[in-house]
Amino acid sequence: MFKNYLKIAWRNLIKDKTNTGLNVVGLSIAFAVVILLGMAAMFQLSYDGFHTNVDSIYKVVRTEQTPKGPKAGTVQPAPLAPALYAEVPGVKGIARCAEDGTLALYNDKEVNMDIIWVDQEFFSMFSFPILNGNDKNPLENLNSVVVTKDGANKLFGSTDVIGKTFNLLVNGQETPFTVSAIADNILPQSNLDFQIAARFESHNEYNESKEAWDRQYHAVYVELDEGMTASVFEKSSEPFIDLHYEEGINRLKRDGATADENGRFINLKLVPLKDVHFAKFKNGFVEVSRSRPYLIFGIALLILFIACVNYINMSIAKTAKRLKEIGMRKTLGAQKQQLFFQFWSESLFVFLLSITIGVVLSAVFLNDFKSMFNTQISSELLLSPVFLVGLLLTVLVITMLVGGYPALLMSRLGTIQSLKGKLESSGSNKVRNVLMVFQFGIAILMIVGTLVLWGQIDYMRNKHLGFDKEQVVSFPLNGKRNSHDMVELLRDELSGNPDIISVSGSDSNLGLGKDGGRSSSGIGFEYKGRIVMTNFLVVNHEYIQTLGLNVVAGRSFESAGDSLGVVINEAMAKELGEQNPLVSQLEIDDGVFYPVYGVVKDYNFTDLDREIAPMTFFMSRQQNLTYGFVKVSPANMANSFAAIESAWKKLEPNAEFLGSFVDENIDRTFKQEKTTAKMIASGSIIAILLSCMGLFAMSLLIVSQRTKEIGIRKVVGASVTSITYILTKDFLKLVLIAFVIASPIAWWAMREWLQNYAYKIELSIWYFVAAGALALIIAFLTIGTRTVRAARANPVKSLRTE
């Protein structure tokens, strides 16, 4: 019996090649998209899930109730971790982690590598597999380091390096370290990324800050005892906070801060390790949001929904062609369940073929997908049990529901009704219309999202940020030389080039450079009886000139001898509250006061999702510069870049030059937005394509059903235009209804998304008009090609008997 179902199903599918082909193509594309997007979403959701103790490891966050509202931060002081371990019950393990870049030296080789400075317990808490060497306690000694496979090959050219000694540049001095273990390469789903792991006590700031509770520069992770919960630990830590942060709490009270609902001014919060990748600090609180992977899932399901709607609509529309077949089968004794399985088996054929093609397409386009959407998914994820089970369940549910509904509808038709060849179609037409409204509503929603996202990206890319980003080259000062000396040597080397305007440096980059590093520093100090917080930037004396910052009061740094004063931005001047900020004396160091030389106009030194914060520029040779900046003339920019690279290689022949223009750095900070926009844009194109495929198939069926009507209308004098209008108006009405429904939803969604940015575009009505018009034009072109052809056909052919 089942064999007979399959044989007849195959014959019916082959008989109607056009509809079968459209269904298979649409579903295959949808399944391929679902597989690729599903893998991308699962990759995002799998961050840090590979650690064995992931459920008991947390990142420590300190929250403060400042006079301006709550503030949360992940950087902690060096004495916090050991004190927390000793004084608060429930801590099984604790590790400080300071991620950084370092220069590693072995023989004549100099290599820039990613390093993490951690406590001894780090490798017992986190599951970074040790492949060779001391796997019990790899950081037992202060000079011991763990090197990953990639790191070992990069530095030594081999992984057989246990016991070998090399140097790291620490505080400008070459310090020897010994390889005690080789770790496996870090998985891309890890928030902690390194090539070398060294003891925290060897960090260049440790000796000066190991007892300083007001100097924060690293993260802290805790592993809780079994049975200890995060909420209980947070409550238990309150006496600890009151003891060690007593001075800070008193300052907050003095400065007018308001306590939280529990009457507290400083708290420790624990963020689960599996939530760290999704944690954001918004409005002073830690917010965990998995909206991006869920958005990816949502796009995949919407596209699959459109393809399934196409299948349902085409299956229902084909029912009219098969009424006599159904009637004859019932006359010959076929039962409802037999008819159901007959029609459902056709759906089963289509879905099995489609999912097979979809899997092949996803494998073929996997590398293109990874490159386009900047993801590191692999084919291994496709073969994971969780993904396979999820995919099989999805196919099973879709086959039962999407294939089952038309089969159920056809199997319930009456015998006499079927033999007459007449179908009471008002109910099925309503279902078809509702589903088509959903289809085009989804497409319009995604088109609006694409237009708004690209509009915001274009706005951020072209917004004047308050500094010269097109003519400035930035590069990490990653060589052996002292950073201040290197800037001076570069200035001397490039002084004869007329296209080089100025050379400077700072301890932070603008945007995201080729090295991928981003950092910021902040300090707080007493000013007239209250604490003032500011971002803090160590610069060379030509920095303000090089970046083209606008001095609005006083003066800039004029020479290296101006290190006894500071320059501030307008936001910092407002923070000081002085009518004339140039009279201010800032006690940045204990007992040492620095006059304010000048005020620069506010500029966006961080991403555009944040307001401009106070900034203080400071010159000190005791603190290293980490990035160099060279301003070039607009003419011969390519030659100027080559000259900078040549000068660098002359001065630092063994260090890689990673220069890029600042506007390129700024553009890299939009990477996530651009990826999301590409994803939604691609989804919009596929959604429109699939919707149009369904619309085209429906127009074919409806034209074939109304062939005689078209012939009669032409005989009595109807024009091609009027017939085309009659055949298309119902479909275009559905698109307009979809636009009316989708527009308010799109407006709300885009308004909420734009709230994440301090600087954003206006949500213009033209985004929605453009999306609706585009959907309407595409729908008309899809239907019109077939309807115009039908309207122009010879009526004699239409009126011939069957």
Side-chain angles (χ1 to χ4, degrees), residues 230-274:
S231 57
V232 172
F233 178 84
E234 290 168 357
K235 187 68 177 177
S236 301
S237 68
E238 290 179 358
F240 171 87
I241 292 295
D242 293 339
L243 173 63
H244 293 285
Y245 287 90
E246 181 180 5
E247 185 177 350
I249 293 171
N250 291 334
R251 285 177 177 172
L252 292 173
K253 291 178 180 178
R254 179 202 64 189
D255 293 346
T258 303
D260 64 14
E261 64 275 11
N262 298 316
R264 298 193 56 76
F265 290 87
I266 299 180
N267 288 296
L268 289 185
K269 298 292 182 183
L270 297 185
V271 178
L273 181 60
K274 57 188 177 184

Side-chain angles (χ1 to χ4, degrees), residues 434-455:
V434 169
L435 291 176
M436 289 186 69
V437 167
F438 267 105
Q439 267 188 321
F440 277 94
I442 291 167
I444 291 168
L445 182 65
M446 296 178 75
I447 293 172
V448 171
T450 300
L451 295 177
V452 173
L453 259 68
W454 281 116

Side-chain angles (χ1 to χ4, degrees), residues 600-667:
V600 299
K601 189 176 179 60
D602 282 340
Y603 71 104
N604 295 95
F605 55 86
T606 58
D607 295 346
L608 290 177
D609 58 352
R610 303 179 190 178
E611 296 279 359
I612 295 176
M615 170 63 80
T616 300
F617 303 91
F618 181 75
M619 291 204 308
S620 172
R621 286 191 66 91
Q622 277 65 52
Q623 299 187 50
N624 289 328
L625 306 174
T626 53
Y627 290 90
F629 295 88
V630 179
K631 187 172 186 177
V632 300
S633 65
N636 301 318
M637 294 178 70
N639 291 337
S640 298
F641 186 89
I644 297 168
E645 183 174 10
S646 176
W648 171 270
K649 288 181 177 179
K650 180 178 179 181
L651 296 170
E652 287 284 4
N654 296 319
E656 185 179 6
F657 179 72
L658 298 173
S660 57
F661 283 91
V662 171
D663 60 341
E664 297 174 348
N665 297 352
I666 300 298
D667 201 50

